[in-house]
Amino acid sequence: MIRVCALAAVAGVALVSVGLPPRALAAAAGIETDPTLRLSDFAGLPPAAGKGYRVGTNVPIAGYYGQFSLHTDQGDMTVDGVSLLRQRIAEVGPADALQKLSTSEVFADALGQSAKSGAQAIGQAVTHPVDTVQKLPAGIGRFFKSVGNTVQDAVSTSAEKGVGSATDDALGVNKARRALAEKVGADPYTSNPHLSARLDQLARAAVAGGISIDVVLAVSTAGAATIVSATKAVSNLAWSLPPASVRERNEKELATLGVDPATRARLLDNPHFTPTMALSFVEALRRLGVREGANAFVALAAGAQSEVEARFYIAQLRMAHAHAQRAHRITSMKALGRVGGFRTSDGGLFVPVALDYLTWTDGVKTFIGRRDDRVRTRTAWFTGKLSPRAAAELHRAGWSVRTDVALD
C-alpha cells in the first residue's frame, strides 16, 4: 500500500512538472469529478411533476448530493439532496393552502395592518429567496476533504436559530406561527424561504388583526385539512411547545444519555438544529439507546454547518437503528473524521452514509483506507448510489456495501 501511494506521489509530481491542469491530474490519478445525472437516475423520488410543482431533468452533483431545480407556484429554488427535495415537494401543498388563506376575507384587513408594522421585509424574502439558500455549502463534500480524529469546526452564526424574537414570543407571533403550521401540516421552523415567509406574514397578520387561529380553521380549504392528515415528518412537539420548552426537553434527554453540558449546549445552540431538527436528532439518539460514545457523536453533530449536514447526522442515527434491528446490535459510537462510525456486537464497524451519489475522490480514498486492527468487518450503507469506480474500490478495500437504503 505504501509503495503504491509513493508511486502515485511520484507520478503526481511528474504530471505537475509538465503543467497539466488540475482536472487532468485528477483523471490521471483515477480521481472522479462530479457528474451531472438525469432525474431518472435517482431512486425513490416523488413524481417529477405534480400539482403546483415540477423538477428539472438535469441534476448536477455537488458534495455527493444532487442539486435539484424545483419549480413551484410559489417560486423556484435549488434543493440540496434527495431528502430535502422530498420535504420541499411535500411543502408545496401547505404553501398553497397558506397562499389561499392570505387572500381570504378574514385576512384582508389584518394583512394591511401587518404591512404597516413592517411586513415589507417578508415580501422581500419571498421575492429573492434563492439568494439566501444558495449561500449554504452544497452537500457533504467537506466531510471527505480532511479526515482527522476530532472535529473542531466552528458553527456558522449567519443562520437564525428558530424563528422570531423575544418580542414575537411576548406578542404571540411565534405561537400563531406554530398554530398555522400545524393547521396546514408544515414544519414551523422550515428553511423553505417561500413557506417560511408566508407563515411569518400570516402569523403577524393574525396578531395585528386580532384573528383567532380557530377562525382560520373555518376558512381553511378541504385541501389544507388533507395536507395535515398526510404529514408525518413534523413532530407534534414542534407544533405545541415553544422553543424554550423544546430545548428543556432535549437537554434532559441528552443528559440521560450521558452527554455533558458543554456538548449539549453546542448542539442546541447550533442554528442548523432548529427545534424540529433537534427533536428529531435527540429522538433518534434515544431510540438507538447507546451511551458509549454518545457524547462524541453529539459533539460531531454539533459541528454541522448547514441543514443538510444536520440532516446527515440524524440519518446516520436512524440507519444505525435500522442496522441494529436487522443485523447486529450497536455497542458504541465514534467519530471518524467528520462522519460517525458505529461499533457492532460482532466486532465490526458500521458506517451509514446519507448521500445521493458517491464518486471516487481523494477524500473518499483516504477515508476507506483507514485501518483498525480491532475491527473484524467493515460495512457501509448508502442512501444513494455509488459510481462504478467507487463501488469497485470499496469492494477492493474489504467493505461490505449496501446502496439505495430507504430511511424508515
Side-chain angles (χ1 to χ4, degrees):
M1 183 69 181
I2 295 175
R3 184 178 180 183
V4 172
C5 291
L7 289 172
V10 172
V13 170
L15 289 169
V16 171
S17 66
V18 298
L20 288 177
R23 182 178 291 271
L25 288 173
I31 300 304
E32 297 179 314
T33 56
D34 289 332
T36 294
L37 303 180
R38 302 286 290 176
L39 187 64
S40 56
D41 294 327
F42 296 86
L45 288 182
K51 184 179 180 181
Y53 80 90
R54 65 178 177 84
V55 185
T57 56
N58 292 326
V59 184
I61 299 296
Y64 313 105
Y65 274 51
Q67 304 303 299
F68 297 90
S69 297
L70 179 62
H71 310 278
T72 77
D73 291 345
Q74 306 297 324
D76 299 341
M77 66 186 87
T78 299
V79 183
D80 198 0
V82 167
S83 175
L84 200 54
L85 178 65
R86 291 195 189 101
Q87 176 163 325
R88 291 293 178 259
I89 291 176
E91 290 172 334
V92 169
D96 181 62
L98 291 175
Q99 171 64 27
K100 291 177 180 177
L101 282 178
S102 69
T103 60
S104 65
E105 183 178 350
V106 72
F107 267 104
D109 293 338
L111 283 168
Q113 294 179 39
S114 180
K116 294 177 183 178
S117 303
Q120 183 178 2
I122 303 300
Q124 293 171 346
V126 175
T127 306
H128 303 289
V130 182
D131 293 343
T132 301
V133 175
Q134 292 179 336
K135 291 179 182 178
L136 298 176
I140 55 167
R142 75 184 190 94
F143 282 11
F144 295 106
K145 283 185 177 178
S146 176
V147 181
N149 294 321
T150 59
V151 176
Q152 300 293 336
D153 295 313
V155 175
S156 169
T157 58
S158 60
E160 294 182 6
K161 177 68 171 180
V163 294
S165 61
T167 302
D168 286 343
D169 273 333
L171 293 174
V173 173
N174 291 341
K175 183 177 181 180
R177 181 187 173 107
R178 295 197 309 274
L180 281 166
E182 181 177 9
K183 302 315 175 189
V184 298
D187 179 358
Y189 308 101
T190 179
S191 60
N192 182 329
H194 306 295
L195 180 57
S196 180
R198 189 66 67 189
L199 280 170
D200 202 46
Q201 180 191 45
L202 293 181
R204 293 181 185 281
V207 171
I211 298 174
S212 168
I213 301 302
D214 291 332
V215 174
V216 173
L217 274 180
V219 299
S220 297
T221 64
T226 302
I227 294 161
V228 174
S229 64
T231 300
K232 300 178 181 179
V234 180
S235 169
N236 287 332
L237 292 170
W239 285 328
S240 61
L241 296 179
S245 298
V246 170
R247 183 184 179 107
E248 181 180 359
R249 185 182 188 279
N250 286 332
E251 283 266 13
K252 290 179 180 179
E253 291 283 3
L254 290 171
T256 299
L257 291 166
V259 181
D260 66 58
T263 303
R264 297 199 302 264
R266 280 191 62 215
L267 180 85
L268 300 178
D269 286 341
N270 186 321
H272 304 297
F273 278 99
T274 64
T276 304
M277 295 284 287
L279 282 167
S280 298
F281 178 88
V282 173
E283 175 60 18
L285 189 65
R286 184 195 66 77
R287 285 185 67 205
L288 187 61
V290 177
R291 288 178 59 92
E292 185 176 347
N295 197 81
F297 188 86
V298 174
L300 190 67
Q305 293 186 1
S306 69
E307 178 182 358
V308 167
E309 291 185 3
R311 286 174 173 274
F312 175 88
Y313 293 116
I314 296 171
Q316 278 210 296
L317 291 171
R318 292 173 62 190
M319 293 166 76
H321 181 264
H323 185 271
Q325 297 297 306
R326 302 170 189 174
H328 300 286
R329 180 173 57 87
I330 303 297
T331 59
S332 65
M333 297 174 273
K334 62 184 296 185
L336 303 173
R338 295 186 176 99
V339 177
F342 301 80
R343 294 297 296 268
T344 57
S345 57
D346 67 336
L349 173 67
F350 174 63
V351 180
V353 184
L355 50 68
D356 296 339
Y357 192 78
L358 184 73
T359 50
W360 183 245
T361 64
D362 281 326
V364 173
K365 178 181 177 180
T366 301
F367 184 88
I368 71 167
R370 59 168 60 228
R371 297 295 179 184
D372 186 341
D373 294 336
R374 297 169 297 176
V375 174
R376 295 175 56 188
T377 61
R378 295 189 293 174
T379 302
W381 281 8
F382 298 90
T383 55
K385 300 181 184 299
L386 280 60
S387 73
R389 175 67 190 277
E393 293 293 348
L394 279 162
H395 178 74
R396 186 176 293 114
W399 285 80
S400 173
V401 174
R402 180 180 170 188
T403 59
D404 290 327
V405 176
L407 292 175
D408 297 330

